[in-house]
């Protein structure tokens, strides 16, 4: 049997005795790697110093003012600008949304092992090519490889989510929270790891960047392969032992005046995207992400420019009047603030998604929008009053809502459209993320520039933006309010559902008859412990590193 055939979905169906709590570890192995997409900004500054450092200058060597943009993509004589390096980030996340929209249906048919392997190949190829791009100083290689890396990012993002939903019908929100929380944790682990690797390899004439990319590529390859090949899918119709569906606020109208559990029906992808419910969810996610990215993109300069001297026991001294050394101290404190936001981003993904199992998906989106709007609108007042503690609490809670919006939406889609095609539907919905990621930072920068050009002080230049973010969340509330159960005319018929399940069941039986599928054995305690340690140790290390940065902010 060919290797490609053995990657098929029918060869990954778990047998009797398999412990479903092993699946989250496989999901985390993948998400902790692809989640480094969030942390790529750690590379931009070193990338902008490659030539200057190699020539012993210790800083960037600026290109001639008359050098064309195209020439800078190929030059080895001067350094790239930071903004040119950061284009890699935009390409990665644009391709994430594009990939999930196009290949979501393929995931449902191919299965998580094949999809995870494809993700590994694309994402790790990107890191290897980044090593080549920085070694040869060819920015065009970095940009092109980011297209492939974005495909890997998209496939790696949706692979575990769809699989976990089917394994945990009793805890759908918790399952998606664990997976998407791992994605948020990727940067928390990867960014400090990258910094330490760069520091280890750097010399007076080398930034140490290409070596760091190469080492991370090797680490990610091992981790993602392990996650892909340990991933298992549940048998058709799987339900956990003792699971009795009850109304937890996630039941839906059966079209005849009664309530049924979400998994009792399914809507295929092509019909789902034609429903008003899909587009309400799309705009909910778009607005939630636009507001969250608004805070994330301005958090670092906001804290520095608003609180300025107050952060280093120099009350009342504005940012522009600080010395370079004092600005460095403020920047270090702001870095701790960014780390704190990462923790709340991750925590929000896990906690709010798990709470949605108890409170209901619509209820938590009401919380995101109503409480979030109040907090966003209050941040300018808290900032102007220099109330640092209340300011930090408000911003951190807002970021937890941003993370929660990501992790709750797959569970909400499962409630609305069933679990059969939730991976593909979720993939289509993630185009909202790409759209918000492109538009929100652009809007924020335009508004800030207009404010500054009008003579507004830097410390007050963010207020209008925050009020606009609050308005986004008010609009999100009305989209959440508008969601109703999906009309039964969109449901797959019983015959269509049976045929879909029978197709997989027939493939599973054929695979078992071939003798290739190993005999099912109960999951051992040792396997569980080892797998959880593989993902738990990096996560704890990332939390520790983030905590160290955060402590500096308060010391």
């Amino acid at each position: 049997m060919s290797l490609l055939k053995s990657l098929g979905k029918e060869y990954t169906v778990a047998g009797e005795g398999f412990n479903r709590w092993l699946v989250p570890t496989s999901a985390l192995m993948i998400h902790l790697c692809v989640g480094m997409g969030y942390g790529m900004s750690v590379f931009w500054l070193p990338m902008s110093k490659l030539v200057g450092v190699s020539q012993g200058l210790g800083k960037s060597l600026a290109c001639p003012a008359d050098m064309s943009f195209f020439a800078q993509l190929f030059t080895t004589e001067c350094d790239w600008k930071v903004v040119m390096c950061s284009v890699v980030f935009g390409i990665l996340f644009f391709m994430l949304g594009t990939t999930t929209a196009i290949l979501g249906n393929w995931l449902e048919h191919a299965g998580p092992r094949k999809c995870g392997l494809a993700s590994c190949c694309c994402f790790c190829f990107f890191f290897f090519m980044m090593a080549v791009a920085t070694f040869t100083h060819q920015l065009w290689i970095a940009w092109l490889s980011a297209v492939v890396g974005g495909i890997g990012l998209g496939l790696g993002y949706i692979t575990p989510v769809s699989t976990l939903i089917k394994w945990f019908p009793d805890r759908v929100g918790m399952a998606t929270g664990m997976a998407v929380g791992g994605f948020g944790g990727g940067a928390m682990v990867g960014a400090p790891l990258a910094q330490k690797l760069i520091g280890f390899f750097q010399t007076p004439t080398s930034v140490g960047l290409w070596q760091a990319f190469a080492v991370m590529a090797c680490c990610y390859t091992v981790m993602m392969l392990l996650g892909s090949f340990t991933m298992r899918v549940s048998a058709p119709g799987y339900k956990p032992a003792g699971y009795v569906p009850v109304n937890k606020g996630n039941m839906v109208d059966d079209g005849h005046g009664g309530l049924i559990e979400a998994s009792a029906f399914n809507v295929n992808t092509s019909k789902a995207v034609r429903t008003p419910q899909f587009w309400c969810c799309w705009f909910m996610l778009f607005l939630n992400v636009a507001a969250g990215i608004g805070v994330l993109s301005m958090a670092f300069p906001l804290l520095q420019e608003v609180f300025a001297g107050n952060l280093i026991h120099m009350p009342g001294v504005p940012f522009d009047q600080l010395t370079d050394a004092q600005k460095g101290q403020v920047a270090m404190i702001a870095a701790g603030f960014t780390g704190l936001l990462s923790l709340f981003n991750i925590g929000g993904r896990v906690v709010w998604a798990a709470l949605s199992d108890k409170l209901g998906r619509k209820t938590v989106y009401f919380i995101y929008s109503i409480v979030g709007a109040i907090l966003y609108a209050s941040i300018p007042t808290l900032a102007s009053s220099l109330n640092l503690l209340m300011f930090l609490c408000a911003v951190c809670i807002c970021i937890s809502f941003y993370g929660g919006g990501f992790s709750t939406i797959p569970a909400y889609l499962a409630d609305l459209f069933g679990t059969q095609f939730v991976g593909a539907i979720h993939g289509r919905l993630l185009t909202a993320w790409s759209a918000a990621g492109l538009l929100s930072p652009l809007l924020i920068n335009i508004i800030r520039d207009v404010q500054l050009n009008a003579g507004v002080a830097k410390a007050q230049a963010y207020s209008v933006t925050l009020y606009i973010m609050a308005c986004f969340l008010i609009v999100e509330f009305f989209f959440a309010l508008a969601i109703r159960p999906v009309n039964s005319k969109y449901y797959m018929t019983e015959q269509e559902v049976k045929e879909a399940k029978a197709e997989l069941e027939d493939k599973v039986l054929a695979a078992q008859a071939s003798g290739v599928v190993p005999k099912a054995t109960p999951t051992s305690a040792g396997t569980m412990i080892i797998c959880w340690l593989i993902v738990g140790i990096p996560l704890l290390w990332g939390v520790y590193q983030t905590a160290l940065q955060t402590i500096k902010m308060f010391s």
Side-chain angles (χ1 to χ4, degrees):
M1 182 181 65
S2 66
L3 175 63
L4 185 62
K5 186 177 180 181
S6 68
L7 299 174
K9 190 173 184 178
E10 62 271 24
Y11 295 96
T12 62
V13 177
E16 292 292 330
F18 180 81
N19 192 324
R20 63 176 178 161
W21 287 98
L22 198 61
V23 182
T25 66
S26 302
L28 285 168
M29 289 174 195
I30 295 173
H31 267 199
L32 284 175
C33 296
V34 296
M36 183 53 190
Y38 265 148
M40 292 298 294
S41 60
V42 74
F43 298 117
W44 306 153
L45 193 58
M47 285 177 68
S48 71
K49 298 179 179 180
L50 291 169
V51 175
V53 171
S54 69
Q55 295 184 8
L57 300 178
K59 61 180 182 179
S60 300
L61 177 62
C63 290
D66 58 350
M67 179 177 281
S68 70
F69 176 82
F70 184 76
Q72 291 180 54
L73 296 178
F74 297 88
T75 184
T76 58
E77 304 299 324
C78 57
D79 280 307
W80 309 312
K81 295 178 181 178
V82 170
V83 68
M84 295 179 69
C85 301
S86 66
V87 170
V88 171
F89 182 89
I91 296 173
L92 281 174
F93 282 89
F94 173 78
M95 290 305 301
L96 182 150
T98 304
T99 299
T100 56
I102 295 173
L103 297 181
N105 260 340
W106 175 72
L107 161 65
E108 298 295 347
H109 296 287
R113 182 178 292 177
K114 189 179 291 184
C115 192
L117 182 60
S119 172
C120 174
C121 293
C122 293
F123 192 70
C124 296
F125 170 81
F126 161 66
F127 265 80
F128 278 118
M129 293 310 295
M130 286 296 289
V132 173
T134 50
F135 180 77
T136 60
H137 203 263
Q138 296 294 303
L139 188 58
W140 66 273
I141 295 178
W143 286 9
L144 285 180
S145 64
V147 174
V148 180
I151 295 172
L153 195 61
L155 291 175
Y157 187 87
I158 59 175
T159 294
V161 174
S162 174
T163 305
L164 279 168
I165 285 176
K166 295 179 176 68
W167 271 113
F168 290 88
D170 51 336
R171 296 184 177 94
V172 175
M174 180 212 68
T176 58
M178 283 191 295
V180 180
F183 186 84
M188 185 180 67
V189 176
L193 174 62
Q195 288 176 323
K196 290 188 178 297
L197 286 171
I198 291 170
F200 178 79
F201 288 113
Q202 71 181 5
T203 66
T205 57
S206 173
V207 175
L209 195 55
W210 75 264
Q211 299 96 322
F213 275 124
V215 171
M216 293 184 75
C218 293
C219 293
Y220 286 162
T221 299
V222 173
M223 193 80 152
M224 293 183 73
L225 285 177
L226 188 58
S228 300
F229 282 94
T230 56
M231 187 79 73
R232 294 288 185 274
V233 299
S234 57
Y238 166 81
K239 288 185 179 180
Y243 168 54
V244 179
V246 294
N247 188 346
K248 295 181 180 178
N250 298 323
M251 307 294 278
V252 293
D253 193 339
D254 65 358
H256 305 286
L259 289 172
I260 56 174
E261 58 169 314
S263 60
F265 68 90
N266 287 284
V267 180
N268 65 36
T269 311
S270 59
K271 289 183 179 179
V273 297
R274 297 201 297 268
T275 63
Q277 288 82 357
F278 175 87
W279 290 104
C280 283
C281 288
W282 194 96
F283 281 105
M284 277 197 323
L285 184 63
F286 172 83
L287 293 165
N288 187 283
V289 172
I293 285 181
V295 169
L296 286 173
S297 64
M298 72 174 75
F300 192 83
L302 175 63
L303 188 73
Q304 294 180 84
E305 294 176 357
V306 171
F307 289 91
N310 295 71
L311 297 173
I312 53 174
H313 309 295
M314 298 177 64
V317 179
F319 185 76
D320 290 339
Q321 294 180 18
L322 297 175
T323 65
D324 288 341
Q326 290 166 343
K327 287 179 180 179
Q329 289 178 280
V330 171
M332 185 178 295
I333 293 170
F337 177 50
T338 306
L340 186 65
L341 294 183
S342 296
L343 282 179
F344 274 83
N345 182 9
I346 297 162
R349 292 168 186 249
V350 177
V351 172
W352 287 112
L355 281 175
S356 73
D357 288 332
K358 303 293 183 182
L359 302 177
R361 321 297 177 204
K362 180 174 283 193
T363 301
V364 294
Y365 271 99
F366 285 162
I367 294 172
Y368 299 157
S369 54
I370 297 172
V371 179
I374 294 171
L375 291 175
Y376 274 87
S378 68
I379 289 174
T381 302
L382 296 174
S384 62
S385 65
L386 299 179
N387 190 330
L388 180 60
L389 181 61
M390 293 301 295
F391 171 83
L392 291 177
C393 289
V395 174
C396 287
I397 292 172
C398 287
I399 292 303
S400 79
F401 292 160
Y402 166 74
F406 271 116
S407 57
T408 309
I409 202 69
Y412 208 167
L413 294 175
D415 293 342
L416 291 168
F417 303 108
T419 60
Q420 184 74 24
F421 299 100
V422 68
I425 298 169
H426 183 216
R428 301 282 176 90
L429 194 82
L430 287 178
T431 54
W433 181 5
S434 296
L438 289 172
L439 295 178
S440 183
L442 179 63
L443 175 65
I444 290 164
N445 289 326
I446 291 174
I447 293 173
R448 183 175 183 273
D449 287 344
V450 169
Q451 293 281 94
L452 293 176
N453 291 335
V456 176
K458 284 185 178 180
Q460 282 81 47
Y462 300 96
S463 298
V464 173
T465 299
L466 287 163
Y467 292 139
I468 291 174
M469 300 298 117
C471 292
F472 281 176
L473 294 181
I474 292 172
V475 176
E476 178 190 350
F477 169 80
F478 289 102
F479 278 111
L481 188 65
I483 294 180
R484 295 289 185 272
V486 175
N487 192 306
S488 57
K489 70 180 182 180
Y490 293 106
Y491 296 174
M492 295 174 66
T493 64
E494 290 186 15
Q495 183 61 31
E496 288 174 329
V497 174
K498 287 180 180 178
E499 289 175 358
K501 290 181 177 179
E503 181 182 1
L504 177 59
E505 289 170 348
D506 291 343
K507 288 182 178 179
V508 171
L509 290 174
Q512 291 172 340
S514 68
V516 176
V517 179
K519 186 178 181 181
T521 56
T523 304
S524 68
T527 301
M528 287 288 292
I529 293 171
I530 291 171
C531 288
W532 276 105
L533 284 175
I534 289 174
V535 296
I537 291 174
L539 273 173
L540 288 174
W541 182 79
V543 171
Y544 171 71
Q545 293 295 323
T546 303
L548 285 181
Q549 282 189 323
T550 305
I551 289 170
K552 292 177 183 177
M553 180 170 58
F554 291 101
S555 56

